[in-house]
Amino acid sequence: MKLTDNVLRSFRVAKVFRENSDKINCFDFSPNGETVISSSDDDSIVLYDCQEGKPKRTLYSKKYGVDLIRYTHAANTVVYSSNKIDDTIRYLSLHDNKYIRYFPGHTKRVVALSMSPVDDTFISGSLDKTIRLWDLRSPNCQGLMHLQGKPVCSFDPEGLIFAAGVNSEMVKLYDLRSFDKGPFATFKMQYDRTCEWTGLKFSNDGKLILISTNGGFIRLIDAFKGAVLHTFGGYNNSKAVTLEASFTPDSQFIMIGSEDGKIHVWNGESGMKVAVLDGKHTGPITCLQFNPKFMTFASACSNMVRNWGVSFSE
């Protein structure tokens, strides 16, 4: 089934999960779309079965806290950052709830974590103004970049380059094989002192980059030229909350939640808003992602909500 404006407008809440007592700070779909895993400020990690639509397991990271959880390529393993005690990244086996490896090095909170789509490499960005490159098989940092400000970072869909957003005003593109030579492209954006960048994502076709902010707008830029294609606004974010924006898997639509529990959807080509959906959330929608394989997406405040599309012919 193809995603269209009408199909997106037809999405309805299918299920609400109330497993958490505090804000869900991150979630991630498995590459096959069959499970989704969440991390929360209540120190819990909850694994959900997307096909049966129910929680499967809950694990806890009470000592270190848990944030920015990401699936690796091996089934049943995740990496996540800590939000208590230290700033070490942890590699966890969900199967037996045991740590496989620790990745120490950052000296301040990790604010960005991106797994390579093709291998065991991942990158992390921290408030210590560095981006570190890691390999799951080694606890030692494989590469270190010092930046001028707070970074956000992400791999492209081929895993060949990564983008770093620095100081909320420029995007730098690095070739993974020669990143120590510096960026091969730098795009300078208009600086907006009312907000800062909170996330950066490539579209699945690799042609677009989506920049999230803690203000009332998000930006869509051309991944090759750096030109701003659209600025999307008109959603509520008065308290400077970090709201996750996402592409649909076909790279055609952009979605973000808002502090009033609504989900806003735009057409990436025309820049027009095509839907405002009621997410049935009690608080700001801090996390929002589309399932990579199935016609559902998930959104989260302290509750996790599964939304699904109703199919009909136009």
Side-chain angles (χ1 to χ4, degrees):
M1 183 176 151
K2 191 170 181 293
L3 275 178
T4 62
D5 295 5
N6 271 357
V7 169
L8 278 160
R9 282 193 280 269
S10 77
F11 270 77
R12 298 290 180 267
V13 170
K15 203 144 192 184
V16 180
F17 301 101
R18 297 183 174 86
E19 315 304 306
N20 295 97
S21 60
D22 206 337
K23 183 186 89 170
I24 292 170
N25 51 44
C26 187
F27 63 75
D28 195 32
F29 281 101
S30 60
N32 62 11
E34 289 173 8
T35 61
V36 64
I37 194 158
S38 69
S39 56
S40 166
D41 288 354
D42 64 14
D43 306 332
S44 70
I45 295 168
V46 183
L47 182 67
Y48 299 87
D49 185 311
C50 293
Q51 287 164 313
E52 292 183 21
K54 61 185 186 188
K56 275 171 73 165
R57 285 188 75 189
T58 302
L59 309 171
Y60 291 94
S61 181
K62 292 216 173 279
K63 185 176 177 185
Y64 304 108
V66 53
D67 198 354
L68 298 177
I69 198 157
R70 303 279 184 256
Y71 274 108
T72 68
H73 298 291
N76 275 331
T77 62
V78 292
V79 289
Y80 66 83
S81 65
S82 319
N83 51 17
K84 288 182 183 175
I85 297 190
D86 63 15
D87 304 289
T88 298
I89 296 163
R90 292 177 161 79
Y91 179 23
L92 177 70
S93 164
L94 301 173
H95 168 67
D96 50 9
N97 195 17
K98 287 198 167 73
Y99 291 117
I100 302 167
R101 197 159 285 116
Y102 302 98
F103 304 97
H106 285 300
T107 56
K108 287 187 179 168
R109 187 171 168 184
V110 174
V111 290
L113 195 59
S114 177
M115 192 77 213
S116 163
V118 296
D119 60 22
D120 285 338
T121 310
F122 68 97
I123 50 175
S124 58
S126 160
L127 294 178
D128 63 15
K129 300 182 184 175
T130 66
I131 288 177
R132 287 175 181 263
L133 184 67
W134 310 88
D135 188 302
L136 284 174
R137 294 161 295 192
S138 165
N140 303 318
C141 169
Q142 306 292 302
L144 174 62
M145 297 161 45
H146 292 276
L147 303 162
Q148 296 301 306
K150 174 193 162 182
V152 287
C153 54
S154 182
F155 277 101
D156 83 317
E158 255 123 47
L160 297 173
I161 67 171
F162 64 88
V166 188
N167 253 0
S168 301
E169 62 179 345
M170 62 181 79
V171 175
K172 294 172 179 278
L173 300 183
Y174 295 85
D175 188 310
L176 200 61
R177 292 154 299 191
S178 57
F179 72 91
D180 48 339
K181 295 190 174 77
F184 66 83
T186 299
F187 309 137
K188 190 114 167 44
M189 306 280 141
Q190 191 178 346
Y191 181 65
D192 188 317
R193 54 172 54 98
T194 64
C195 62
E196 61 178 28
W197 295 359
T198 53
L200 187 143
K201 287 183 182 178
F202 280 89
S203 56
N204 275 346
D205 62 10
K207 295 176 181 173
L208 305 166
I209 295 173
L210 183 60
I211 298 169
S212 309
T213 74
N214 63 359
F217 68 91
I218 51 179
R219 278 211 178 103
L220 186 67
I221 70 168
D222 183 299
F224 301 106
K225 301 189 182 108
V228 176
L229 302 173
H230 297 290
T231 300
F232 304 116
Y235 58 91
N236 290 347
N237 190 14
S238 62
K239 298 187 179 76
V241 179
T242 296
L243 304 172
E244 180 180 24
S246 288
F247 288 100
T248 51
D250 61 6
S251 308
Q252 302 301 307
F253 298 93
I254 287 93
M255 316 172 74
I256 194 168
S258 61
E259 67 183 8
D260 60 4
K262 300 273 196 298
I263 293 158
H264 297 251
V265 188
W266 294 269
N267 182 305
E269 194 169 352
S270 70
M272 300 296 289
K273 188 174 285 189
V274 298
V276 179
L277 305 171
D278 184 359
K280 308 280 189 213
H281 283 282
T282 53
I285 300 175
T286 46
C287 305
L288 179 73
Q289 279 181 40
F290 217 96
N291 188 306
K293 298 291 184 204
F294 303 108
M295 193 62 81
T296 64
F297 70 90
S299 53
C301 56
S302 57
N303 298 332
M304 172 80 88
V305 175
R306 182 179 174 222
N307 304 269
W308 63 352
V310 182
S311 66
F312 55 84
S313 55
E314 288 185 62

